[in-house]
């Protein structure tokens, strides 16, 4: 009998996992630099949180949730996205006022698996809650943009739109609905069924949206306050030198968005999964899940897709491999000393020949091989094209040279 990972899930192992580790490390560092503390939230939540928060006409809720009844008879769902849970946690925390949170972890959607579309996938994201002004939107968009470019992805396009708010959106939705009714026969069955219930979803349809380029545009229906907010977001991005393209058909797949909506597109990937991340403002979300009115803005980035777009170059996970001429007990002691000094080093814990130890070093493609010859004898420090002898206490200084 043998087992494979379930359909649409992956084992991410070395050497590929090293590129993941570096990307996730960059995320931890960058989100901290922008002042976003870590939140670690449950991987399953009450099903109703997503039905109400994400919206019961969104594809994520209607088709993609991993929902089950637990032993206590409660309906729970593996989280398909992060924002509803973060808002729930904020409301539960009793906090007041501006509140930042960064997360990183697995999410689950029942999708038809393909490259960049998995049933378990990894997202990193931030939420900036209880802030209404456009500067927050700009800060959030900039953080995502910097993360993507610092990850090494150079071909990224930022798409931007404004979806209006409860004051101006109804007129837009009516205009869109009547436009779609006139074209009902040209639409897929899924889209046609959405015309009355949630016509914005139709613009999000991969199949139909390319033919709807002359649909009414949200930005032509914005009320004065939304138009002002959108203008301020755009000028903020311009001040930071972040290029963007306005995309009047960008509506995002989840129902909670208001005003700002954005997406980061990796132009090097296939169109079906080239959105590496996206986000926006969700000023109405807190109320839909039973909380007091609380604005917020955030994004989520798909790490699987970023790794795919990067082509995940293999990177060394060690600074050096230690070969011992006097057995593994001595090697352990020397490695412990070097590790305490911050050197990433590994060695063979089995008592193998020096030749075999060198073979392992070669297989690991380490940049440096250290050879331990015994107490009081200088160590050999070998690189691809150089070799020096140094007392062990000078080795870490050599690495920092
Ligand atoms: P969304 O909020 O649905 O736009 O998701 C944000 C990002 O998460 C997307 O742009 C993708 O990069 C990633 N993502 C969403 N669903 C999946 C999936 N099934 N597999 C891999 N990545 C995904």
């Amino acid at each position: 009998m043998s087992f494979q990972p379930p359909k649409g899930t992956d084992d991410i192992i070395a050497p590929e996992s090293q590129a993941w580790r570096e990307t996730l490390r960059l995320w931890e560092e960058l989100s901290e630099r922008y002042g976003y503390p870590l939140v670690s939230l449950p991987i399953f939540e009450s099903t109703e949180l997503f039905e109400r928060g994400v919206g019961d006409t969104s594809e994520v809720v209607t088709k993609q949730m991993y929902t089950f009844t637990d032993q206590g008879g409660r309906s729970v769902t593996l989280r398909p996205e992060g924002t509803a849970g973060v808002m729930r946690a904020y409301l539960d925390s009793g906090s007041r006022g501006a509140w930042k949170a960064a997360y990183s972890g697995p999410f689950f959607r029942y999708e038809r698996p393909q490259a960049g579309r998995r049933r378990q996938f990894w997202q990193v994201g931030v939420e900036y809650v209880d802030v209404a002004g456009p500067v927050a939107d700009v800060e959030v968009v900039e953080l995502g943009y910097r993360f993507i470019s610092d990850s090494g992805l150079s071909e990224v396009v930022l798409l931007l739109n404004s979806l209006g708010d409860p004051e101006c959106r109804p007129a837009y939705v009516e205009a869109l609905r009547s436009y779609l009714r006139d074209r009902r026969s040209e639409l897929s069955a899924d889209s046609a069924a959405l015309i009355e219930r949630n016509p914005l979803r139709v613009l999000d349809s991969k199949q139909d949206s390319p033919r709807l380029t002359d649909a009414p545009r949200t930005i032509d229906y914005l009320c004065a306050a939304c138009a002002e907010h959108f203008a301020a977001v755009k000028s903020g991005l311009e001040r930071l030198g972040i290029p963007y393209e306005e995309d009047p058909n960008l509506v995002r797949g989840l129902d909670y968005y208001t005003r700002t909506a954005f997406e980061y597109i990796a132009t090097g990937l296939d169109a079906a999964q080239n959105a590496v991340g996206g986000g926006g403002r969700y000023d109405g979300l807190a109320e839909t899940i039973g909380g007091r009115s609380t604005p917020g803005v955030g994004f989520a980035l798909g790490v699987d897709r970023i790794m795919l777009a990067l082509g995940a170059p293999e990177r060394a996970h060690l600074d050096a491999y230690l070969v011992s001429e006097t057995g593994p007990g001595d090697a352990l002691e020397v490695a412990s000393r070097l590790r305490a000094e911050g050197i990433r080093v590994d060695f063979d814990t089995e008592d193998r020949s020096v030749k075999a130890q060198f073979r392992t070093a070669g297989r690991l493609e380490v940049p440096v091989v250290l050879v331990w010859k015994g107490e009081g004898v200088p160590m050999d420090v070998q690189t691809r094209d150089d070799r020096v002898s140094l007392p062990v206490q000078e080795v870490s200084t050599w690495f920092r040279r």
Side-chain angles (χ1 to χ4, degrees), residues 50-62 81 163-164 169 194 197-202 204 251-259 281-285 288:
F50 301 116
E51 286 172 348
R52 294 167 56 144
V54 178
D56 58 10
T57 57
S58 71
E59 191 160 83
V60 167
V61 169
T62 54
E81 62 91 56
L163 305 178
R169 198 171 343 174
L194 283 166
R197 283 192 299 139
N198 191 346
L200 255 70
R201 284 279 73 71
V202 179
D204 203 39
V251 293
R252 307 275 304 132
L254 317 175
D255 283 353
Y256 48 59
Y257 288 110
T258 52
R259 295 193 167 172
R281 198 161 254 297
Y282 42 82
D283 297 346
L285 169 63
T288 67

Side-chain angles (χ1 to χ4, degrees), residues 109 111 116-118 121 123 252 254 257 263 275-278 300-302 304-305:
R109 293 182 195 172
E111 304 231 40
R117 193 172 293 279
R118 318 301 296 153
F121 54 99
Q123 283 186 340
R252 307 275 304 132
L254 317 175
Y257 288 110
E263 225 158 61
V276 291
L301 302 172
D304 305 71
R305 286 196 196 166

Side-chain angles (χ1 to χ4, degrees), residues 321-340:
Y321 193 79
L322 174 64
V323 168
S324 172
E325 294 185 356
T326 62
D330 288 353
L332 172 65
E333 194 183 326
V334 174
S336 166
R337 237 154 110 175
L338 295 169
R339 288 164 173 169

Side-chain angles (χ1 to χ4, degrees), residues 45-54 65 75 77 288-289:
E45 297 266 7
S46 148
T47 300
E48 215 187 333
L49 174 72
F50 301 116
E51 286 172 348
R52 294 167 56 144
V54 178
M65 293 211 299
S75 178
T77 294
T288 67
I289 60 171

